[in-house]
Amino acid sequence: MSIQPPSAFFDLSALLTGFTVQTLEFAQQSADFFGVFDEIYGSGHMAKLLSVYDAHVQAGDAPNDIGKAILDAGSPVEDTARALMAFWYLGQVAPLNDPENLQIPSGNHYAQALVWRAVQAHPTGVSTQQFGYWANPPAPLNDYL
Amino acid sequence: MGASTDYDVVIVGAGIAGALMARELARQGVRVLILESGPRDRDDRKSFHETYLTATAKLPNTPYPPYWHGNDPAHDPNEEAAPRPMTAMTFAWPGLTEFQKWNGSPAKFVAFNRQSYLTYTTTTELPFLSTYERMAGGTTWHWLGTSLRFTERDFKMESTYGQLVDWPITLTELYDDYARAEDAIGVSADVGDQRALEPYLGPQFPNGYEYPMRRIPMSVSDQALAQTLQGLQFDGQDMELTCTPQGRNSEYRNGRPACQGNSSCIPICPIQAKYDATLTLQEAESTNFVTTVTQAVVSDLDIDANGQRNARKLVMP
């Protein structure tokens, strides 16, 4: 059973991806992004990233400043943040020490990846739409965020 | 296997041709044994689908076994019971001009064939340069569903173009067979669309013919392209966009749903809206006249002095 992620995980992820907390919580329900990231990327890195994020929040920094600070923080915090963004968007992650070894942990991680929403489409191989939808323009971007 | 192990016909390979032959023979009371080198789908395509979704490189034969990577130099394909070329291998294959440079050198073709499993013999002809599947259902697992008919000129290649050979049959003689094949596959198309090509291709359909299902609607990008092409000419001919006949359902038919637009015809339709030969195989087996043995590799046929194929070598794991 997967561990309930701390709310900071969703807040930080929303800041890094541009998607709402609600959308990310929905994805986490279907595929364990929080726990599996730790398993594959390497234990402890997420905790370190979240502690840096918490420190900024405690200091009362503005969200955009926090995001910029984390993405300019250098290794390992910056690397962890970028790997987390890629995991949310593409559903794939590699161990920190083995960057060529990209993995899509489950079909649900692939299907819930944010890239599909960003391009206003469904994951290839996972359509929830009906016959003939392709003859009409996709729904507006806001419907996917 | 049960008490009755006598068969009238043995078919090697449970792909679309083998399955259709088995079904037609079984309907006439002929007892058929199918020997298939690869495995059978065991869980209604769930495992294949999950393998596809979790693969970081989604290639035409990604979902299907064997899963060894064709570019791994340490792996010997001969260790596989039923090896076949992997899509990734095709990236490293020689191109047409390189084959011409080989100039029919048997040694080069032998070496290539050993590595790629592309041809059956040590021929110096151009090998089959694509991939295929070795499993019940065959390569229809990863086909696109494109179901075009041949044109009259395809049967007269030598007399029309001075290439290949003329066939001893004509297109019109095959009209009924095409209709049966399009019914078995379940083809969606508008015969009017296809008749629009008659000025270029000649007639391809008898009067009154209708496809089993209405056509698949054009996508937004197809519509945009069609509009852009309007009024343009190539080689003095008006350009227009037509839909291609598709071997996937545009409506619920024979227990299978309409296409849901999963955008993954190649390599796998997760809902079987697209035809694959496991359907025909099931129809054949449901007659109780057909037995399929999977993971049974036929490696050789012995032909006796009378031209009878009277024995086979069968390798089963």
Side-chain angles (χ1 to χ4, degrees):
Chain A
M1 201 178 129
S2 59
I3 298 163
Q4 169 76 31
S7 59
F9 172 72
F10 292 111
D11 294 338
L12 171 62
S13 294
L15 185 61
L16 292 174
T17 62
F19 281 83
T20 64
V21 165
Q22 190 183 29
T23 296
L24 301 175
E25 285 175 341
F26 180 82
Q28 172 71 24
Q29 281 288 101
S30 176
D32 183 9
F33 280 82
F34 176 70
V36 169
F37 182 88
D38 230 26
E39 261 170 47
I40 295 177
Y41 187 72
S43 186
H45 296 288
M46 177 67 76
K48 172 72 179 160
L49 173 62
L50 290 179
S51 73
V52 171
Y53 172 72
D54 274 335
H56 281 291
V57 173
Q58 295 299 327
D61 295 345
N64 278 351
D65 294 337
I66 300 176
K68 193 170 180 327
I70 285 176
L71 291 177
D72 287 339
S75 188
V77 169
E78 175 183 335
D79 295 342
T80 308
R82 292 186 188 278
L84 178 62
M85 289 165 75
F87 192 33
W88 273 121
Y89 265 91
L90 304 175
Q92 62 180 30
V93 60
L96 175 62
N97 301 324
D98 189 8
E100 297 292 307
N101 186 16
L102 277 169
Q103 297 163 46
I104 300 174
S106 73
N108 281 355
H109 283 90
Y110 170 79
Q112 293 296 333
L114 300 174
V115 65
W116 307 113
R117 292 170 174 270
V119 300
Q120 294 162 265
H122 64 82
T124 56
V126 188
S127 167
T128 54
Q129 292 171 276
Q130 294 187 344
F131 176 79
Y133 72 81
W134 50 85
N136 300 305
L141 181 60
N142 275 342
D143 285 9
Y144 291 87
L145 295 180
Chain B
M1 236 174 260
S4 173
T5 52
D6 289 337
Y7 299 94
D8 301 310
V9 172
V10 178
I11 294 175
V12 179
I16 185 169
L20 278 169
M21 280 192 289
R23 189 188 74 173
E24 295 306 306
L25 289 167
R27 284 176 175 174
Q28 295 166 37
V30 177
R31 290 165 302 177
V32 178
L33 173 68
I34 303 179
L35 299 172
E36 165 55 47
S37 66
R40 187 186 277 274
D41 170 27
R42 295 286 178 194
D43 60 0
D44 201 15
R45 67 189 59 213
K46 289 185 185 66
S47 302
F48 296 153
H49 189 220
E50 184 74 6
T51 301
Y52 166 73
L53 296 180
T54 56
T56 50
K58 291 174 166 56
L59 301 169
N61 53 14
T62 293
Y64 311 114
Y67 296 112
W68 61 277
H69 195 279
N71 279 346
D72 176 3
H75 185 91
D76 181 2
N78 291 304
E79 287 172 15
E80 298 290 338
R84 51 80 160 105
M86 303 289 281
T87 313
M89 295 167 71
T90 64
F91 305 147
W93 285 350
L96 188 57
T97 51
E98 284 167 273
F99 281 122
Q100 284 162 351
K101 281 184 216 154
W102 289 5
N103 200 22
S105 160
K108 292 201 169 184
F109 280 92
V110 169
F112 183 61
N113 288 335
R114 186 175 295 139
Q115 171 250 326
S116 63
Y117 292 88
L118 294 177
T119 50
Y120 319 101
T121 63
T122 55
T123 177
T124 54
E125 300 280 317
L126 191 65
F128 176 65
L129 287 175
S130 189
T131 57
Y132 52 87
E133 302 303 335
R134 296 181 76 178
M135 55 194 292
T139 309
T140 54
W141 272 100
H142 85 215
W143 79 315
L144 184 61
T146 301
S147 301
L148 291 161
R149 292 185 171 197
F150 275 12
T151 71
E152 195 63 58
R153 273 167 273 173
D154 288 321
F155 295 86
K156 307 210 177 309
M157 291 296 284
E158 188 177 19
S159 46
T160 310
Y161 302 110
Q163 301 284 335
L164 305 174
V165 295
D166 285 352
W167 293 25
I169 47 175
T170 63
L171 176 61
T172 44
E173 287 174 302
L174 292 180
Y175 277 167
D176 287 348
D177 299 291
Y178 265 120
R180 289 166 71 201
E182 286 159 359
D183 177 67
I185 290 170
V187 178
S188 300
D190 182 335
V191 77
D193 285 349
Q194 308 309 314
R195 285 195 195 279
L197 302 170
E198 274 188 18
Y200 319 108
L201 304 179
Q204 290 182 284
F205 306 91
N207 286 334
Y209 183 74
E210 293 291 343
Y211 278 98
M213 287 171 284
R214 66 193 163 111
R215 76 176 188 192
I216 308 277
M218 281 193 189
S219 67
V220 171
S221 52
D222 284 343
Q223 295 166 32
L225 184 61
Q227 205 165 2
T228 306
L229 288 175
Q230 244 175 11
L232 294 180
Q233 284 199 329
F234 181 77
D235 234 7
Q237 293 184 344
D238 291 334
M239 292 183 73
E240 61 176 312
L241 196 75
T242 55
C243 292
T244 305
Q246 293 291 309
R248 58 185 152 112
N249 283 4
S250 62
E251 60 196 58
Y252 185 86
R253 183 175 187 264
N254 292 350
R256 292 157 49 214
C259 173
Q260 204 181 6
N262 278 284
S263 315
S264 61
C265 289
I266 297 175
I268 186 166
C269 176
I271 61 171
Q272 213 173 19
K274 185 192 71 175
Y275 171 86
D276 65 70
T278 63
L279 291 158
T280 307
L281 188 63
Q282 282 161 11
E283 289 171 1
E285 289 169 338
S286 70
T287 63
N288 293 325
F289 280 91
V290 176
T291 302
T292 309
V293 179
T294 54
Q295 293 173 287
V297 179
V298 177
S299 64
D300 209 357
L301 282 174
D302 290 341
I303 300 174
D304 70 14
N306 300 320
Q308 297 289 312
R309 293 164 181 80
N310 60 358
R312 64 177 187 275
K313 285 178 189 162
L314 180 59
V315 184
M316 292 177 66

Coordinates of all heavy atoms in Angstrom, one line a residue, chain A residues 53-86:
Chain A
Y53 N 11.9 23.1 0.3 CA 10.7 23.8 -0.1 C 10.0 24.3 1.2 O 9.6 25.5 1.2 CB 9.7 22.8 -0.8 CG 8.3 23.4 -1.1 CD1 8.1 24.4 -2.0 CD2 7.2 22.9 -0.3 CE1 6.9 24.9 -2.2 CE2 6.0 23.4 -0.6 CZ 5.8 24.4 -1.5 OH 4.5 25.0 -1.7
D54 N 9.9 23.5 2.2 CA 9.2 23.9 3.5 C 9.9 25.1 4.1 O 9.3 26.1 4.6 CB 9.2 22.8 4.5 CG 8.0 21.9 4.3 OD1 7.0 22.3 3.7 OD2 8.1 20.7 4.7
A55 N 11.3 25.1 4.0 CA 12.0 26.3 4.6 C 11.7 27.6 3.9 O 11.5 28.6 4.5 CB 13.5 26.0 4.5
H56 N 11.5 27.5 2.6 CA 11.2 28.7 1.8 C 9.8 29.2 2.2 O 9.5 30.4 2.3 CB 11.2 28.4 0.3 CG 12.6 28.4 -0.3 ND1 13.3 29.6 -0.4 CD2 13.4 27.4 -0.8 CE1 14.5 29.3 -1.0 NE2 14.6 28.0 -1.2
V57 N 8.8 28.2 2.3 CA 7.5 28.5 2.7 C 7.4 29.2 4.1 O 6.8 30.2 4.3 CB 6.6 27.3 2.7 CG1 5.2 27.6 3.2 CG2 6.4 26.7 1.3
Q58 N 8.2 28.6 5.0 CA 8.3 29.2 6.4 C 8.8 30.6 6.4 O 8.4 31.4 7.1 CB 9.2 28.3 7.3 CG 8.7 26.9 7.5 CD 7.3 26.8 8.2 OE1 7.1 27.7 9.1 NE2 6.5 25.9 7.9
A59 N 9.8 30.8 5.4 CA 10.4 32.2 5.3 C 9.4 33.2 4.7 O 9.7 34.3 4.6 CB 11.7 32.1 4.6
G60 N 8.3 32.7 4.2 CA 7.3 33.6 3.6 C 7.6 34.0 2.2 O 7.1 35.0 1.7
D61 N 8.5 33.2 1.5 CA 8.8 33.5 0.1 C 7.6 33.4 -0.8 O 6.8 32.5 -0.6 CB 10.0 32.7 -0.4 CG 11.3 32.9 0.4 OD1 11.3 33.9 1.1 OD2 12.2 32.1 0.3
A62 N 7.6 34.2 -1.9 CA 6.5 34.1 -2.9 C 6.7 32.8 -3.7 O 7.8 32.4 -3.9 CB 6.5 35.3 -3.8
P63 N 5.6 32.2 -4.2 CA 5.7 30.9 -4.9 C 6.7 31.0 -6.1 O 7.5 30.0 -6.2 CB 4.3 30.6 -5.4 CG 3.4 31.3 -4.3 CD 4.2 32.5 -3.9
N64 N 6.6 32.0 -6.9 CA 7.5 32.1 -8.0 C 8.9 32.1 -7.6 O 9.8 31.6 -8.3 CB 7.2 33.3 -8.9 CG 6.0 33.0 -9.9 OD1 5.6 31.8 -10.0 ND2 5.5 34.0 -10.5
D65 N 9.2 32.8 -6.5 CA 10.6 32.9 -6.0 C 11.1 31.6 -5.5 O 12.2 31.2 -5.7 CB 10.7 34.0 -4.9 CG 10.4 35.4 -5.4 OD1 10.6 35.6 -6.7 OD2 10.0 36.2 -4.6
I66 N 10.1 30.8 -4.9 CA 10.5 29.5 -4.4 C 10.9 28.6 -5.6 O 11.9 27.9 -5.6 CB 9.4 28.9 -3.6 CG1 9.0 29.7 -2.4 CG2 9.7 27.4 -3.1 CD1 7.8 29.2 -1.6
G67 N 10.0 28.6 -6.6 CA 10.3 27.8 -7.7 C 11.6 28.1 -8.4 O 12.4 27.2 -8.7
K68 N 11.9 29.4 -8.5 CA 13.2 29.8 -9.1 C 14.4 29.4 -8.3 O 15.4 28.9 -8.8 CB 13.1 31.3 -9.3 CG 14.2 31.9 -10.2 CD 14.0 33.3 -10.5 CE 15.0 33.9 -11.5 NZ 16.4 33.4 -11.3
A69 N 14.2 29.6 -6.9 CA 15.3 29.2 -6.0 C 15.6 27.8 -6.1 O 16.8 27.4 -6.1 CB 14.9 29.6 -4.6
I70 N 14.6 26.9 -6.2 CA 14.8 25.5 -6.2 C 15.5 25.1 -7.5 O 16.4 24.2 -7.5 CB 13.5 24.7 -6.0 CG1 13.1 24.8 -4.5 CG2 13.6 23.3 -6.4 CD1 11.8 24.2 -4.1
L71 N 15.0 25.7 -8.6 CA 15.6 25.3 -9.9 C 17.0 25.9 -10.2 O 17.6 25.5 -11.1 CB 14.6 25.7 -11.0 CG 13.3 24.8 -11.1 CD1 12.4 25.3 -12.2 CD2 13.6 23.3 -11.2
D72 N 17.4 26.8 -9.3 CA 18.7 27.3 -9.3 C 19.6 26.8 -8.2 O 20.7 27.3 -8.0 CB 18.7 28.9 -9.3 CG 18.2 29.5 -10.6 OD1 18.3 28.7 -11.6 OD2 17.7 30.6 -10.6
A73 N 19.1 25.8 -7.4 CA 19.7 25.4 -6.2 C 21.0 24.6 -6.4 O 21.8 24.3 -5.5 CB 18.7 24.7 -5.3
G74 N 21.2 24.1 -7.6 CA 22.3 23.2 -7.9 C 22.1 21.8 -7.4 O 21.0 21.5 -6.8
S75 N 23.0 20.9 -7.6 CA 22.9 19.5 -7.2 C 23.0 19.4 -5.7 O 23.7 20.1 -5.1 CB 24.0 18.7 -7.9 OG 23.8 17.4 -7.7
P76 N 22.2 18.5 -5.1 CA 21.3 17.5 -5.7 C 19.8 18.0 -5.7 O 19.0 17.4 -6.4 CB 21.4 16.3 -4.7 CG 21.6 16.9 -3.4 CD 22.4 18.2 -3.6
V77 N 19.5 19.1 -5.0 CA 18.1 19.6 -4.9 C 17.5 19.9 -6.3 O 16.4 19.5 -6.6 CB 18.0 20.8 -3.9 CG1 16.6 21.4 -4.0 CG2 18.3 20.3 -2.5
E78 N 18.3 20.7 -7.1 CA 17.8 21.1 -8.4 C 17.6 19.8 -9.3 O 16.6 19.7 -10.0 CB 18.8 22.0 -9.0 CG 18.5 22.3 -10.5 CD 19.5 23.2 -11.1 OE1 20.3 23.9 -10.4 OE2 19.6 23.2 -12.4
D79 N 18.5 18.9 -9.2 CA 18.4 17.7 -10.0 C 17.1 16.9 -9.6 O 16.4 16.4 -10.5 CB 19.6 16.7 -9.9 CG 20.8 17.4 -10.4 OD1 20.7 18.4 -11.2 OD2 21.9 17.0 -10.0
T80 N 16.9 16.8 -8.3 CA 15.7 16.1 -7.9 C 14.4 16.8 -8.4 O 13.5 16.1 -8.8 CB 15.7 16.0 -6.3 OG1 16.9 15.5 -5.9 CG2 14.6 15.1 -5.8
A81 N 14.4 18.1 -8.3 CA 13.2 18.8 -8.8 C 13.0 18.6 -10.2 O 11.8 18.4 -10.7 CB 13.4 20.3 -8.5
R82 N 14.0 18.6 -11.0 CA 13.9 18.4 -12.5 C 13.4 17.0 -12.8 O 12.6 16.8 -13.7 CB 15.2 18.8 -13.2 CG 15.5 20.3 -13.1 CD 16.7 20.6 -14.0 NE 17.0 22.0 -13.7 CZ 16.4 23.1 -14.3 NH1 15.5 22.8 -15.2 NH2 16.8 24.3 -14.0
A83 N 14.0 16.0 -12.1 CA 13.6 14.6 -12.3 C 12.1 14.4 -11.9 O 11.3 13.7 -12.6 CB 14.4 13.7 -11.4
L84 N 11.7 15.1 -10.8 CA 10.3 15.1 -10.4 C 9.3 15.7 -11.5 O 8.3 15.1 -11.8 CB 10.1 15.8 -9.1 CG 8.6 15.8 -8.5 CD1 8.1 14.4 -8.3 CD2 8.5 16.7 -7.3
M85 N 9.7 16.8 -12.1 CA 9.0 17.4 -13.1 C 8.8 16.5 -14.3 O 7.7 16.3 -14.9 CB 9.6 18.7 -13.6 CG 9.5 19.8 -12.6 SD 10.7 21.2 -13.0 CE 9.8 21.9 -14.4
A86 N 9.9 15.8 -14.7 CA 9.9 14.9 -15.8 C 9.0 13.7 -15.5 O 8.3 13.2 -16.4 CB 11.3 14.4 -16.2

